[in-house]
Amino acid sequence: MEGLLVVFSYSILFAFVSASSRNFPIIPFDEGYSPLFGDSNLVIHRDGESVHLSLDERTGSGFVSHDLYLHGYFSASIKLPADYTAGVVVAFYMSNGDMYQNNHDEIDFEFLGNIRGKNWRIQTNVYGNGSTNIGREERYGLWFDPTDDFHQYSISWTDSQIIFYVDNVPIREVTRTESMGGDFPSKAMTLYATIWDASDWATNGGKYRVNYKYAPYVAEFSDLVLHGCAVDPIEQVGKCENDEKNTGSGVTPAQRMKMENFRKKHMTYSYCYDRVRYKAPPSECVINSQEAERLRKFDPVTFGSGRHHGKRHRHTRGSHTEAASSSF
């Protein structure tokens, strides 16, 4: 089965887009994606390329790619809800949890809302082969207000490396190591985008909950990119070109410098330094004493019981059915 190339043109000029920015072909939303849940809380714009997802007292909402992908480059321009957003989570991620309930893979961008006057926080995470007992979370502030305008969030995934980008600036690089074993995502996944009520854990460990007085909470998505190796869901095989073509080039020296600067200025949490959760850092962690000292001033992130919370594919209130302002 030939890989389906799905991509939406970039309509917004970003401050950090470099000459290596990827340019892929375009098809309309309904040719690459389907509504996942939320009924009228999911609105496809007339241009066929932009989507609004909203959360209210009745339900959240989400959409999903038609195809499974084994490696590729996946991206969206997202504008987040403003004002009081405590307990609200907007997620842009890949998962095969519906197919592999006990040993699923996942690659996450999660945007965690906050009380008025506090900024949104961005979280990345990686699970492989059901390794949910080892959360590989990192959290960051941003150098812009993500509610003011659209910004591009991208995932590049190969058999040996995962790179998270914000406006074409790499913010995290996960390299497959022998010690990770099956903890590195290696099975075909579907792309999801959702907004849902995560009051139990998302803001200060559940201290601040969603306040529906400020609903509806609306997240806007555009410039959606699906570019990778589409896999037949029955045969679980795909006819793909090499990873480099599917994901573009890796991190350039200039991008690596930006990534290092971003992490020094904006990273507020890394699982590698969480002594509350892990007596010893997971085997793939490389401990940097200067980074550890800088992160020490931030309290360890609270994740409730420590288990994986999921993305609430079909979350409604009362129902848990699963389906930075500075530059650098």
Side-chain angles (χ1 to χ4, degrees), residues 8-315:
F8 290 85
S9 64
Y10 299 139
S11 59
I12 297 171
L13 295 177
F14 298 109
F16 293 95
V17 173
S18 71
S20 64
S21 182
R22 300 157 180 83
N23 294 301
F24 296 128
I26 305 167
I27 68 170
F29 173 89
D30 60 5
E31 292 186 25
Y33 309 86
S34 300
L36 178 64
F37 72 107
D39 302 321
S40 60
N41 282 13
L42 183 152
V43 178
I44 302 173
H45 285 206
R46 291 181 180 178
D47 64 6
E49 299 180 7
S50 303
V51 183
H52 281 191
L53 299 180
S54 62
L55 166 69
D56 56 26
E57 290 188 351
R58 182 177 60 90
T59 184
S61 52
F63 61 86
V64 60
S65 65
H66 291 168
D67 289 326
L68 289 160
Y69 293 89
L70 182 63
H71 309 143
Y73 179 82
F74 312 93
S75 184
S77 295
I78 306 172
K79 183 179 179 182
L80 297 174
D83 209 347
Y84 183 98
T85 54
V88 177
V89 170
V90 176
F92 178 71
Y93 67 105
M94 305 193 72
S95 177
N96 49 34
D98 291 341
M99 298 180 63
Y100 303 96
Q101 294 184 3
N102 297 319
N103 62 334
H104 83 284
D105 305 302
E106 201 167 299
I107 303 173
D108 301 335
F109 266 116
E110 293 176 305
F111 305 92
L112 310 179
N114 220 326
I115 60 176
R116 182 185 282 116
K118 299 291 185 179
N119 296 324
W120 278 81
R121 294 146 303 147
I122 183 172
Q123 176 169 291
T124 61
N125 202 358
V126 172
Y127 292 119
N129 203 34
S131 58
T132 56
N133 61 319
I134 304 177
R136 292 178 166 83
E137 299 93 343
E138 288 188 352
R139 283 193 183 186
Y140 328 87
L142 292 167
W143 64 94
F144 53 82
D145 182 346
T147 72
D148 278 349
D149 207 342
F150 287 89
H151 291 269
Q152 182 188 12
Y153 305 90
S154 311
I155 296 167
S156 173
W157 172 39
T158 73
D159 64 350
S160 60
Q161 190 178 62
I162 296 165
I163 305 170
F164 296 89
Y165 294 87
V166 176
D167 287 350
N168 206 45
V169 175
I171 65 168
R172 182 180 183 184
E173 183 180 32
V174 179
T175 301
R176 186 176 197 161
T177 64
E178 185 176 349
S179 64
M180 289 181 75
D183 287 3
F184 189 91
S186 58
K187 299 186 291 294
M189 292 187 278
T190 307
L191 183 73
Y192 295 90
T194 59
I195 184 170
W196 57 287
D197 182 334
S199 290
D200 291 344
W201 66 274
T203 308
N204 288 50
K207 180 179 179 180
Y208 301 103
R209 306 178 67 81
V210 173
N211 186 337
Y212 285 99
K213 179 177 72 173
Y214 300 99
Y217 298 96
V218 179
E220 304 176 57
F221 289 76
S222 67
D223 302 332
L224 294 159
V225 174
L226 284 172
H227 183 88
C229 176
V231 173
D232 184 286
I234 304 300
E235 299 293 334
Q236 285 291 295
V237 295
K239 296 179 181 179
C240 313
E241 298 189 22
N242 61 51
D243 279 351
E244 186 174 347
K245 276 196 172 184
N246 284 330
T247 63
S249 58
V251 177
T252 66
Q255 286 179 320
R256 187 166 298 281
M257 184 176 298
K258 287 183 178 181
M259 179 168 65
E260 292 173 356
N261 289 336
F262 171 85
R263 294 174 68 81
K264 287 177 182 177
K265 291 185 176 182
H266 300 292
M267 187 167 72
T268 60
Y269 172 84
S270 169
Y271 74 104
C272 286
Y273 300 99
D274 193 333
R275 298 296 178 85
V276 174
R277 298 172 69 195
Y278 305 115
K279 293 181 180 179
S283 59
E284 75 274 6
C285 291
V286 177
I287 301 301
N288 180 306
S289 58
Q290 291 182 335
E291 189 170 67
E293 184 63 28
R294 187 180 61 78
L295 293 176
R296 185 176 297 174
K297 66 180 180 180
F298 297 102
D299 291 334
V301 176
T302 302
F303 291 94
S305 65
R307 65 181 176 84
H308 181 230
H309 295 274
K311 303 297 177 300
R312 304 299 183 202
H313 292 345
R314 304 190 184 279
H315 179 79

